[in-house]
Amino acid sequence: MNFLQRLQEMLQRLAAKMQQFMVGRYGNDEFTLFLLIVSLIFSFLGNFRPIRFMYFMGLALIVFALFRSLSKNYEARRKELNWYLRWSEKPKAELKLLGNQIRDRKTHRYFKCKECKTVLRVPKNRGKIEITCPKCRAKVIKKT
Ligand SMILES: [Zn+2]
């Protein structure tokens, strides 16, 4: 058996052991991913001396993320996930809207309906037009 074959076998054994170790454990979810991204940002910011404590906050978040994925308490972890999903719903929608606005900046304009807050997307450069909200039928005149 040559070196590469032995290395491959070793890695396979390691992967199998890892799999066995993770049996019955919660593993990763969207909240874990979020924690890891934030911890990366914090650790980076912690490089700057006046906010050195950010580094340790980042470290604490990594420990928490690790604790969650190794945890066997599914119910508690799912509760945290649900809490996170509810909490992140609005910011995620705002971020998506911002992305769309940037993507369509040459062709469309976005307005929020004053009555029901629905986001309206209208083609640009049509002059002053009356827009009817498709959801609540409220009318508004906008320059496009
Ligand atoms: Zn509306």
Side-chain angles (χ1 to χ4, degrees), residues 109-126:
R109 272 179 158 253
Y110 286 79
F111 299 106
K112 237 180 209 164
C113 172
K114 278 197 185 106
E115 300 297 325
C116 68
K117 310 287 179 228
T118 300
V119 175
L120 311 171
R121 178 174 173 268
V122 291
K124 236 174 158 177
N125 300 321
R126 296 279 163 91

Side-chain angles (χ1 to χ4, degrees), residues 69-83:
S69 43
L70 299 182
S71 165
K72 290 181 175 175
N73 188 347
Y74 278 60
E75 206 191 310
R77 304 293 84 79
R78 270 201 205 106
K79 257 185 203 160
E80 286 161 5
L81 176 65
N82 284 335
W83 172 84

Side-chain angles (χ1 to χ4, degrees), residues 56-72:
F56 298 100
M57 283 170 67
L59 218 58
L61 287 181
I62 289 178
V63 171
F64 182 49
L66 208 63
F67 160 78
R68 288 191 76 248
S69 43
L70 299 182
S71 165
K72 290 181 175 175

